[in-house]
Amino acid sequence: MADKVLIVDDDPSICKLLEKVMHSNDLETDTAGSGTKALERLKHHTYDVILMDIMLGDMEGFEVIQHLREDGIQTPVMIVSGRNEDYDSIYGLSIGADDYITKPFRPVVLGAKVKALIRRTKNMMASQSSLLECGPFTYDSSTMRFYKDGEELILSSKESALLLLFIKHPGQIYTKDMIYEQVWGTTVAIDDNAIMVYINRLRGKIEKDRQKPAHIITVRGVGYRFVP
């Protein structure tokens, strides 16, 4: 299936030109002649890139971008505008645009930029899919490394298995039997002391104060609960 581009411009001749450039790069297109129409389309359709003019009939393209980002829509946006002031490009990028190109543009350059933006976004999404995030904690399955607030945690294999169990199931109460089965792989000859030793070691590495844990909470008489 071809990648799809939404063209947002109130000038029909520019829309036709942009459609032609996109089609020549094997990209499908939709068009919206106003900011309102663009926002409405994006409620019901997904796109790989949005080409956004700044000067629209009903609002500025900047406003459209702000609405998108506030709504959690992370589709990459390339501003295509006749305004070539540095302020416009800097402001556009600061509110969530991913690239800025001025009119008149060279069709071959625009096509290459759009395809590069799509490729970069897809690669980023693929790399992020290996990340498991839970509060301040991140686990990168591709490297089997853990991080808290961006800082790597140096953990043993048992500590890693414990933390992975917890961040996969935040809020769930785990009995010692359940922990021993998940981390040690058996329910035979459960060693309560071993569990407590590793819980304390893990607390020492992820808690600000292991004596007053904020993440690994003891549920008296039952087991432990993880609060991210």
Side-chain angles (χ1 to χ4, degrees):
M1 183 181 296
D3 295 317
K4 198 164 189 176
V5 179
L6 176 63
I7 298 167
V8 186
D9 199 302
D10 62 350
D11 185 334
S13 63
I14 295 295
C15 285
K16 288 182 179 179
L17 174 59
L18 290 172
E19 283 187 295
K20 184 177 181 180
V21 174
M22 297 301 104
H23 294 166
S24 69
N25 283 275
D26 300 318
L27 299 170
E28 295 182 2
T29 59
D30 270 345
T31 60
S34 68
T36 302
K37 290 180 180 177
L39 291 171
E40 187 62 29
R41 277 194 171 278
L42 286 158
K43 287 181 182 178
H44 306 288
H45 303 279
T46 58
Y47 298 91
D48 296 283
V49 166
I50 302 167
L51 298 182
M52 181 77 65
D53 188 22
I54 294 177
M55 301 299 293
L56 302 171
D58 56 346
M59 66 178 78
E60 284 199 336
F62 294 141
E63 293 180 70
V64 180
I65 296 170
Q66 287 176 313
H67 282 302
L68 295 180
R69 299 311 186 226
E70 287 169 1
D71 291 341
I73 298 174
Q74 297 302 316
T75 306
V77 177
M78 178 180 291
I79 296 174
V80 183
S81 173
R83 287 162 51 168
N84 58 8
E85 296 294 329
D86 288 343
Y87 167 80
D88 291 314
S89 59
I90 292 171
Y91 180 67
L93 295 171
S94 73
I95 63 171
D98 298 88
D99 205 346
Y100 193 108
I101 190 169
T102 57
K103 303 173 186 175
F105 51 80
R106 293 175 60 193
V108 65
V109 173
L110 176 62
K113 277 179 166 285
V114 170
K115 297 202 80 168
L117 181 55
I118 292 173
R119 183 171 61 251
R120 186 164 65 247
T121 303
K122 288 185 174 181
N123 288 341
M124 186 181 300
M125 290 176 64
S127 65
Q128 289 177 341
S129 66
S130 66
L131 300 180
L132 173 62
E133 297 183 343
C134 183
F137 300 94
T138 302
Y139 173 65
D140 187 343
S141 62
S142 65
T143 60
M144 300 178 69
R145 292 179 177 178
F146 292 84
Y147 302 84
K148 181 184 179 185
D149 294 324
E151 295 289 330
E152 184 176 358
L153 299 168
I154 307 303
L155 307 176
S156 69
S157 59
K158 284 289 189 292
E159 292 164 354
S160 295
L162 262 176
L163 184 54
L164 183 58
L165 175 66
F166 285 141
I167 67 176
K168 279 186 173 181
H169 306 282
Q172 181 173 331
I173 296 175
Y174 277 92
T175 65
K176 292 178 180 179
D177 289 17
M178 294 165 68
I179 292 173
Y180 212 77
E181 181 177 10
Q182 293 289 328
V183 176
W184 276 262
T186 180
T187 56
V188 179
I190 295 173
D191 187 342
D192 286 357
N193 186 60
I195 293 174
M196 287 189 291
V197 167
Y198 279 101
I199 288 289
N200 286 331
R201 286 181 181 175
L202 184 57
R203 279 174 171 164
K205 294 181 179 181
I206 71 171
E207 303 279 4
K208 289 183 179 179
D209 183 352
R210 77 167 73 191
Q211 302 303 320
K212 298 178 181 178
H215 299 297
I216 303 176
I217 308 301
T218 299
V219 182
R220 293 190 179 279
V222 182
Y224 301 92
R225 178 168 57 91
F226 185 74
V227 180

Short mmCIF file of all heavy atoms in Angstrom, two decimals, residues 137-193:
data_model
loop_
_atom_site.label_atom_id
_atom_site.label_comp_id
_atom_site.label_asym_id
_atom_site.label_seq_id
_atom_site.Cartn_x
_atom_site.Cartn_y
_atom_site.Cartn_z
N PHE A 137 10.44 4.62 34.34
CA PHE A 137 11.25 3.46 33.95
C PHE A 137 11.06 3.11 32.48
O PHE A 137 9.95 3.18 31.94
CB PHE A 137 10.89 2.25 34.82
CG PHE A 137 11.12 2.46 36.28
CD1 PHE A 137 10.10 2.89 37.10
CD2 PHE A 137 12.38 2.24 36.83
CE1 PHE A 137 10.30 3.11 38.45
CE2 PHE A 137 12.60 2.46 38.18
CZ PHE A 137 11.56 2.90 38.99
N THR A 138 12.16 2.71 31.85
CA THR A 138 12.14 2.27 30.45
C THR A 138 12.96 1.00 30.32
O THR A 138 14.05 0.90 30.89
CB THR A 138 12.73 3.36 29.52
OG1 THR A 138 11.99 4.56 29.68
CG2 THR A 138 12.66 2.92 28.06
N TYR A 139 12.42 0.05 29.57
CA TYR A 139 13.16 -1.17 29.26
C TYR A 139 13.32 -1.26 27.75
O TYR A 139 12.33 -1.21 27.01
CB TYR A 139 12.43 -2.41 29.78
CG TYR A 139 13.06 -3.72 29.36
CD1 TYR A 139 14.33 -4.08 29.81
CD2 TYR A 139 12.40 -4.59 28.49
CE1 TYR A 139 14.92 -5.27 29.43
CE2 TYR A 139 12.99 -5.78 28.10
CZ TYR A 139 14.24 -6.11 28.57
OH TYR A 139 14.82 -7.30 28.19
N ASP A 140 14.55 -1.37 27.29
CA ASP A 140 14.85 -1.51 25.87
C ASP A 140 15.10 -2.99 25.59
O ASP A 140 16.16 -3.52 25.94
CB ASP A 140 16.08 -0.67 25.50
CG ASP A 140 16.33 -0.64 23.99
OD1 ASP A 140 15.78 -1.50 23.27
OD2 ASP A 140 17.07 0.25 23.54
N SER A 141 14.11 -3.64 24.97
CA SER A 141 14.23 -5.08 24.74
C SER A 141 15.31 -5.42 23.73
O SER A 141 15.83 -6.54 23.72
CB SER A 141 12.88 -5.65 24.28
OG SER A 141 12.48 -5.08 23.06
N SER A 142 15.66 -4.46 22.87
CA SER A 142 16.70 -4.75 21.86
C SER A 142 18.09 -4.84 22.49
O SER A 142 18.98 -5.52 21.98
CB SER A 142 16.69 -3.68 20.77
OG SER A 142 17.05 -2.41 21.30
N THR A 143 18.29 -4.14 23.63
CA THR A 143 19.58 -4.19 24.31
C THR A 143 19.50 -4.82 25.69
O THR A 143 20.52 -5.03 26.35
CB THR A 143 20.15 -2.76 24.48
OG1 THR A 143 19.24 -1.98 25.26
CG2 THR A 143 20.34 -2.09 23.12
N MET A 144 18.24 -5.10 26.13
CA MET A 144 17.99 -5.69 27.46
C MET A 144 18.54 -4.80 28.57
O MET A 144 19.06 -5.28 29.58
CB MET A 144 18.58 -7.11 27.55
CG MET A 144 18.00 -8.07 26.53
SD MET A 144 18.71 -9.73 26.59
CE MET A 144 18.07 -10.32 28.16
N ARG A 145 18.37 -3.49 28.40
CA ARG A 145 18.84 -2.53 29.40
C ARG A 145 17.66 -1.77 30.00
O ARG A 145 16.68 -1.50 29.31
CB ARG A 145 19.84 -1.55 28.78
CG ARG A 145 21.15 -2.21 28.38
CD ARG A 145 22.10 -1.21 27.76
NE ARG A 145 23.39 -1.82 27.45
CZ ARG A 145 24.40 -1.17 26.86
NH1 ARG A 145 24.27 0.09 26.52
NH2 ARG A 145 25.53 -1.80 26.62
N PHE A 146 17.82 -1.40 31.26
CA PHE A 146 16.79 -0.65 31.98
C PHE A 146 17.28 0.77 32.25
O PHE A 146 18.47 0.99 32.48
CB PHE A 146 16.45 -1.32 33.32
CG PHE A 146 15.75 -2.64 33.19
CD1 PHE A 146 16.47 -3.81 33.00
CD2 PHE A 146 14.37 -2.72 33.27
CE1 PHE A 146 15.84 -5.03 32.89
CE2 PHE A 146 13.72 -3.94 33.17
CZ PHE A 146 14.46 -5.09 32.97
N TYR A 147 16.32 1.71 32.27
CA TYR A 147 16.65 3.10 32.55
C TYR A 147 15.61 3.69 33.50
O TYR A 147 14.45 3.31 33.47
CB TYR A 147 16.68 3.93 31.27
CG TYR A 147 17.65 3.42 30.23
CD1 TYR A 147 17.28 2.40 29.35
CD2 TYR A 147 18.93 3.93 30.15
CE1 TYR A 147 18.17 1.91 28.41
CE2 TYR A 147 19.83 3.46 29.20
CZ TYR A 147 19.45 2.44 28.34
OH TYR A 147 20.33 1.97 27.41
N LYS A 148 16.07 4.59 34.34
CA LYS A 148 15.16 5.38 35.16
C LYS A 148 15.47 6.85 34.93
O LYS A 148 16.61 7.28 35.10
CB LYS A 148 15.30 5.05 36.66
CG LYS A 148 14.32 5.86 37.52
CD LYS A 148 14.50 5.62 39.00
CE LYS A 148 13.50 6.46 39.80
NZ LYS A 148 13.71 6.36 41.26
N ASP A 149 14.45 7.59 34.48
CA ASP A 149 14.64 9.02 34.13
C ASP A 149 15.81 9.20 33.17
O ASP A 149 16.57 10.17 33.26
CB ASP A 149 14.87 9.85 35.39
CG ASP A 149 13.64 9.89 36.29
OD1 ASP A 149 12.51 9.92 35.77
OD2 ASP A 149 13.82 9.89 37.52
N GLY A 150 15.97 8.24 32.25
CA GLY A 150 17.01 8.34 31.23
C GLY A 150 18.37 7.82 31.65
O GLY A 150 19.27 7.69 30.81
N GLU A 151 18.55 7.52 32.92
CA GLU A 151 19.83 7.02 33.42
C GLU A 151 19.79 5.50 33.48
O GLU A 151 18.84 4.91 34.02
CB GLU A 151 20.12 7.57 34.82
CG GLU A 151 20.31 9.08 34.87
CD GLU A 151 21.61 9.53 34.24
OE1 GLU A 151 22.59 8.75 34.28
OE2 GLU A 151 21.64 10.65 33.72
N GLU A 152 20.83 4.85 32.93
CA GLU A 152 20.84 3.40 32.92
C GLU A 152 20.98 2.82 34.32
O GLU A 152 21.74 3.31 35.15
CB GLU A 152 21.97 2.87 32.04
CG GLU A 152 21.95 1.34 31.91
CD GLU A 152 23.01 0.81 30.97
OE1 GLU A 152 23.74 1.61 30.38
OE2 GLU A 152 23.10 -0.44 30.83
N LEU A 153 20.20 1.75 34.58
CA LEU A 153 20.28 1.02 35.83
C LEU A 153 21.16 -0.21 35.61
O LEU A 153 20.94 -0.98 34.68
CB LEU A 153 18.88 0.58 36.28
CG LEU A 153 17.87 1.69 36.55
CD1 LEU A 153 16.47 1.11 36.70
CD2 LEU A 153 18.27 2.47 37.80
N ILE A 154 22.13 -0.40 36.46
CA ILE A 154 23.02 -1.56 36.35
C ILE A 154 22.46 -2.65 37.26
O ILE A 154 22.55 -2.57 38.48
CB ILE A 154 24.46 -1.20 36.76
CG1 ILE A 154 24.95 0.02 35.98
CG2 ILE A 154 25.38 -2.40 36.53
CD1 ILE A 154 24.89 -0.15 34.47
N LEU A 155 21.88 -3.68 36.64
CA LEU A 155 21.17 -4.72 37.38
C LEU A 155 21.73 -6.10 37.08
O LEU A 155 22.23 -6.35 35.98
CB LEU A 155 19.68 -4.70 37.00
CG LEU A 155 18.93 -3.37 37.12
CD1 LEU A 155 17.51 -3.52 36.61
CD2 LEU A 155 18.93 -2.87 38.56
N SER A 156 21.61 -6.98 38.06
CA SER A 156 21.97 -8.38 37.84
C SER A 156 20.84 -9.05 37.07
O SER A 156 19.77 -8.45 36.86
CB SER A 156 22.16 -9.08 39.19
OG SER A 156 20.91 -9.21 39.86
N SER A 157 21.04 -10.29 36.66
CA SER A 157 20.02 -10.97 35.87
C SER A 157 18.73 -11.15 36.67
O SER A 157 17.62 -10.97 36.15
CB SER A 157 20.53 -12.33 35.39
OG SER A 157 20.89 -13.15 36.48
N LYS A 158 18.83 -11.49 37.95
CA LYS A 158 17.64 -11.68 38.79
C LYS A 158 16.95 -10.34 39.04
O LYS A 158 15.72 -10.24 39.04
CB LYS A 158 18.01 -12.33 40.11
CG LYS A 158 18.29 -13.83 40.01
CD LYS A 158 17.02 -14.63 39.77
CE LYS A 158 17.26 -16.13 39.88
NZ LYS A 158 18.11 -16.66 38.80
N GLU A 159 17.74 -9.30 39.29
CA GLU A 159 17.16 -7.97 39.49
C GLU A 159 16.46 -7.50 38.22
O GLU A 159 15.37 -6.91 38.28
CB GLU A 159 18.26 -6.97 39.87
CG GLU A 159 18.86 -7.22 41.25
CD GLU A 159 20.18 -6.51 41.46
OE1 GLU A 159 20.69 -5.89 40.49
OE2 GLU A 159 20.70 -6.58 42.58
N SER A 160 17.05 -7.80 37.07
CA SER A 160 16.43 -7.44 35.80
C SER A 160 15.11 -8.16 35.60
O SER A 160 14.11 -7.58 35.18
CB SER A 160 17.38 -7.77 34.63
OG SER A 160 18.55 -6.99 34.69
N ALA A 161 15.11 -9.45 35.92
CA ALA A 161 13.88 -10.25 35.78
C ALA A 161 12.78 -9.72 36.71
O ALA A 161 11.60 -9.66 36.33
CB ALA A 161 14.17 -11.71 36.07
N LEU A 162 13.16 -9.32 37.91
CA LEU A 162 12.21 -8.77 38.87
C LEU A 162 11.62 -7.46 38.35
O LEU A 162 10.39 -7.27 38.35
CB LEU A 162 12.90 -8.52 40.20
CG LEU A 162 12.76 -9.55 41.31
CD1 LEU A 162 13.62 -9.13 42.51
CD2 LEU A 162 11.32 -9.72 41.73
N LEU A 163 12.49 -6.55 37.93
CA LEU A 163 12.01 -5.24 37.48
C LEU A 163 11.15 -5.37 36.23
O LEU A 163 10.13 -4.69 36.09
CB LEU A 163 13.19 -4.31 37.22
CG LEU A 163 12.81 -2.86 36.85
CD1 LEU A 163 11.87 -2.25 37.88
CD2 LEU A 163 14.07 -2.01 36.67
N LEU A 164 11.53 -6.27 35.32
CA LEU A 164 10.73 -6.47 34.11
C LEU A 164 9.34 -6.99 34.47
O LEU A 164 8.33 -6.56 33.90
CB LEU A 164 11.44 -7.43 33.17
CG LEU A 164 10.75 -7.68 31.82
CD1 LEU A 164 10.57 -6.37 31.06
CD2 LEU A 164 11.56 -8.67 30.98
N LEU A 165 9.29 -7.91 35.42
CA LEU A 165 7.99 -8.43 35.88
C LEU A 165 7.13 -7.30 36.42
O LEU A 165 5.94 -7.19 36.09
CB LEU A 165 8.22 -9.49 36.96
CG LEU A 165 6.96 -10.06 37.63
CD1 LEU A 165 6.13 -10.86 36.65
CD2 LEU A 165 7.35 -10.92 38.83
N PHE A 166 7.74 -6.43 37.21
CA PHE A 166 6.99 -5.35 37.84
C PHE A 166 6.51 -4.31 36.82
O PHE A 166 5.35 -3.87 36.87
CB PHE A 166 7.85 -4.67 38.91
CG PHE A 166 8.00 -5.46 40.17
CD1 PHE A 166 9.21 -5.49 40.85
CD2 PHE A 166 6.94 -6.18 40.70
CE1 PHE A 166 9.35 -6.21 42.03
CE2 PHE A 166 7.07 -6.89 41.87
CZ PHE A 166 8.27 -6.92 42.55
N ILE A 167 7.39 -3.87 35.92
CA ILE A 167 6.98 -2.79 35.01
C ILE A 167 6.01 -3.28 33.94
O ILE A 167 5.29 -2.47 33.34
CB ILE A 167 8.19 -2.08 34.36
CG1 ILE A 167 8.96 -3.01 33.41
CG2 ILE A 167 9.11 -1.50 35.42
CD1 ILE A 167 10.10 -2.30 32.69
N LYS A 168 5.97 -4.60 33.72
CA LYS A 168 4.97 -5.13 32.79
C LYS A 168 3.59 -5.17 33.43
O LYS A 168 2.58 -5.19 32.72
CB LYS A 168 5.37 -6.54 32.33
CG LYS A 168 6.41 -6.57 31.23
CD LYS A 168 6.63 -8.00 30.75
CE LYS A 168 7.54 -8.06 29.53
NZ LYS A 168 7.74 -9.45 29.06
N HIS A 169 3.55 -5.18 34.76
CA HIS A 169 2.27 -5.32 35.45
C HIS A 169 2.17 -4.34 36.62
O HIS A 169 2.06 -4.75 37.78
CB HIS A 169 2.10 -6.76 35.96
CG HIS A 169 2.27 -7.79 34.90
ND1 HIS A 169 1.29 -8.08 33.98
CD2 HIS A 169 3.33 -8.60 34.60
CE1 HIS A 169 1.73 -9.03 33.15
NE2 HIS A 169 2.96 -9.36 33.51
N PRO A 170 2.23 -3.04 36.34
CA PRO A 170 2.18 -2.07 37.44
C PRO A 170 0.85 -2.17 38.19
O PRO A 170 -0.21 -2.36 37.59
CB PRO A 170 2.30 -0.73 36.72
CG PRO A 170 1.84 -1.00 35.32
CD PRO A 170 2.29 -2.39 35.02
N GLY A 171 0.93 -2.05 39.51
CA GLY A 171 -0.27 -2.08 40.33
C GLY A 171 -0.72 -3.47 40.75
O GLY A 171 -1.51 -3.61 41.68
N GLN A 172 -0.22 -4.50 40.08
CA GLN A 172 -0.63 -5.86 40.42
C GLN A 172 0.13 -6.35 41.66
O GLN A 172 1.32 -6.10 41.81
CB GLN A 172 -0.36 -6.81 39.26
CG GLN A 172 -0.79 -8.26 39.55
CD GLN A 172 -0.67 -9.14 38.32
OE1 GLN A 172 -0.81 -8.68 37.20
NE2 GLN A 172 -0.43 -10.42 38.54
N ILE A 173 -0.59 -7.02 42.55
CA ILE A 173 0.05 -7.58 43.74
C ILE A 173 0.61 -8.97 43.41
O ILE A 173 -0.10 -9.82 42.87
CB ILE A 173 -0.95 -7.68 44.91
CG1 ILE A 173 -1.42 -6.28 45.32
CG2 ILE A 173 -0.33 -8.40 46.10
CD1 ILE A 173 -2.50 -6.28 46.38
N TYR A 174 1.88 -9.16 43.71
CA TYR A 174 2.54 -10.45 43.48
C TYR A 174 2.88 -11.09 44.82
O TYR A 174 3.55 -10.49 45.65
CB TYR A 174 3.82 -10.26 42.66
CG TYR A 174 3.56 -10.19 41.18
CD1 TYR A 174 3.36 -8.96 40.55
CD2 TYR A 174 3.48 -11.35 40.41
CE1 TYR A 174 3.11 -8.90 39.19
CE2 TYR A 174 3.23 -11.29 39.06
CZ TYR A 174 3.03 -10.06 38.46
OH TYR A 174 2.77 -10.01 37.11
N THR A 175 2.40 -12.32 45.01
CA THR A 175 2.79 -13.08 46.19
C THR A 175 4.22 -13.58 45.99
O THR A 175 4.75 -13.58 44.87
CB THR A 175 1.86 -14.28 46.40
OG1 THR A 175 2.04 -15.19 45.30
CG2 THR A 175 0.41 -13.86 46.48
N LYS A 176 4.82 -14.04 47.06
CA LYS A 176 6.17 -14.57 46.95
C LYS A 176 6.20 -15.81 46.06
O LYS A 176 7.16 -16.04 45.32
CB LYS A 176 6.73 -14.88 48.34
CG LYS A 176 6.97 -13.62 49.16
CD LYS A 176 7.49 -13.94 50.56
CE LYS A 176 7.72 -12.66 51.36
NZ LYS A 176 8.20 -12.94 52.74
N ASP A 177 5.13 -16.62 46.14
CA ASP A 177 5.04 -17.80 45.27
C ASP A 177 5.05 -17.38 43.80
O ASP A 177 5.73 -17.99 42.96
CB ASP A 177 3.75 -18.57 45.55
CG ASP A 177 3.78 -19.29 46.89
OD1 ASP A 177 4.64 -18.96 47.74
OD2 ASP A 177 2.95 -20.19 47.08
N MET A 178 4.28 -16.34 43.47
CA MET A 178 4.19 -15.88 42.09
C MET A 178 5.53 -15.33 41.62
O MET A 178 5.97 -15.60 40.50
CB MET A 178 3.10 -14.80 41.97
CG MET A 178 1.69 -15.32 42.22
SD MET A 178 0.48 -13.99 42.49
CE MET A 178 0.44 -13.24 40.85
N ILE A 179 6.20 -14.58 42.47
CA ILE A 179 7.51 -14.03 42.12
C ILE A 179 8.52 -15.14 41.90
O ILE A 179 9.28 -15.13 40.92
CB ILE A 179 8.01 -13.04 43.21
CG1 ILE A 179 7.13 -11.78 43.22
CG2 ILE A 179 9.47 -12.67 42.97
CD1 ILE A 179 7.44 -10.83 44.35
N TYR A 180 8.52 -16.11 42.79
CA TYR A 180 9.48 -17.20 42.68
C TYR A 180 9.26 -17.99 41.39
O TYR A 180 10.21 -18.39 40.72
CB TYR A 180 9.39 -18.13 43.90
CG TYR A 180 10.72 -18.74 44.27
CD1 TYR A 180 11.68 -18.00 44.95
CD2 TYR A 180 11.03 -20.06 43.93
CE1 TYR A 180 12.90 -18.55 45.29
CE2 TYR A 180 12.25 -20.62 44.27
CZ TYR A 180 13.19 -19.85 44.95
OH TYR A 180 14.41 -20.40 45.28
N GLU A 181 8.00 -18.19 41.04
CA GLU A 181 7.69 -18.93 39.81
C GLU A 181 8.12 -18.14 38.58
O GLU A 181 8.69 -18.71 37.64
CB GLU A 181 6.20 -19.23 39.74
CG GLU A 181 5.81 -20.03 38.49
CD GLU A 181 4.33 -20.37 38.47
OE1 GLU A 181 3.58 -19.85 39.31
OE2 GLU A 181 3.93 -21.16 37.59
N GLN A 182 7.85 -16.82 38.57
CA GLN A 182 8.14 -16.00 37.40
C GLN A 182 9.64 -15.73 37.23
O GLN A 182 10.16 -15.74 36.12
CB GLN A 182 7.40 -14.66 37.50
CG GLN A 182 5.88 -14.77 37.41
CD GLN A 182 5.41 -15.12 36.02
OE1 GLN A 182 6.01 -14.76 35.03
NE2 GLN A 182 4.32 -15.89 35.94
N VAL A 183 10.34 -15.50 38.35
CA VAL A 183 11.75 -15.10 38.28
C VAL A 183 12.70 -16.29 38.39
O VAL A 183 13.69 -16.37 37.68
CB VAL A 183 12.06 -14.05 39.38
CG1 VAL A 183 13.55 -13.70 39.39
CG2 VAL A 183 11.22 -12.80 39.16
N TRP A 184 12.38 -17.23 39.29
CA TRP A 184 13.25 -18.40 39.48
C TRP A 184 12.81 -19.59 38.63
O TRP A 184 13.52 -20.56 38.49
CB TRP A 184 13.30 -18.80 40.94
CG TRP A 184 14.31 -18.01 41.75
CD1 TRP A 184 15.56 -18.41 42.08
CD2 TRP A 184 14.15 -16.70 42.31
NE1 TRP A 184 16.19 -17.44 42.82
CE2 TRP A 184 15.36 -16.37 42.98
CE3 TRP A 184 13.11 -15.77 42.31
CZ2 TRP A 184 15.54 -15.15 43.63
CZ3 TRP A 184 13.30 -14.56 42.96
CH2 TRP A 184 14.49 -14.26 43.61
N GLY A 185 11.59 -19.51 38.10
CA GLY A 185 11.11 -20.56 37.21
C GLY A 185 10.62 -21.80 37.89
O GLY A 185 10.54 -22.87 37.27
N THR A 186 10.33 -21.73 39.18
CA THR A 186 9.85 -22.91 39.91
C THR A 186 9.06 -22.48 41.13
O THR A 186 9.19 -21.35 41.61
CB THR A 186 11.03 -23.79 40.37
OG1 THR A 186 10.52 -24.93 41.07
CG2 THR A 186 11.96 -23.02 41.29
N THR A 187 8.22 -23.37 41.62
CA THR A 187 7.51 -23.12 42.88
C THR A 187 7.96 -24.13 43.94
O THR A 187 7.40 -24.18 45.03
CB THR A 187 5.97 -23.25 42.68
OG1 THR A 187 5.68 -24.54 42.13
CG2 THR A 187 5.45 -22.16 41.77
N VAL A 188 8.95 -24.92 43.59
CA VAL A 188 9.47 -25.93 44.52
C VAL A 188 10.53 -25.28 45.41
O VAL A 188 11.40 -24.56 44.94
CB VAL A 188 10.08 -27.11 43.75
CG1 VAL A 188 10.65 -28.14 44.72
CG2 VAL A 188 9.04 -27.75 42.84
N ALA A 189 10.45 -25.56 46.71
CA ALA A 189 11.44 -25.06 47.68
C ALA A 189 11.63 -23.55 47.59
O ALA A 189 12.73 -23.05 47.36
CB ALA A 189 12.78 -25.77 47.47
N ILE A 190 10.53 -22.83 47.72
CA ILE A 190 10.58 -21.37 47.66
C ILE A 190 11.44 -20.83 48.79
O ILE A 190 11.25 -21.18 49.95
CB ILE A 190 9.16 -20.78 47.73
CG1 ILE A 190 8.37 -21.19 46.49
CG2 ILE A 190 9.21 -19.27 47.85
CD1 ILE A 190 6.92 -20.80 46.54
N ASP A 191 12.36 -19.95 48.45
CA ASP A 191 13.28 -19.37 49.42
C ASP A 191 12.85 -17.93 49.67
O ASP A 191 13.19 -17.02 48.90
CB ASP A 191 14.71 -19.43 48.87
CG ASP A 191 15.74 -19.00 49.90
OD1 ASP A 191 15.35 -18.33 50.90
OD2 ASP A 191 16.92 -19.27 49.70
N ASP A 192 12.08 -17.73 50.77
CA ASP A 192 11.62 -16.38 51.10
C ASP A 192 12.76 -15.40 51.28
O ASP A 192 12.68 -14.23 50.90
CB ASP A 192 10.77 -16.41 52.37
CG ASP A 192 9.39 -17.01 52.14
OD1 ASP A 192 9.09 -17.35 50.96
OD2 ASP A 192 8.63 -17.12 53.10
N ASN A 193 13.84 -15.89 51.87
CA ASN A 193 14.99 -15.02 52.13
C ASN A 193 15.61 -14.52 50.84
O ASN A 193 15.98 -13.35 50.73
CB ASN A 193 16.03 -15.76 52.97
CG ASN A 193 17.17 -14.84 53.39
OD1 ASN A 193 16.95 -13.86 54.08
ND2 ASN A 193 18.39 -15.17 52.97
#
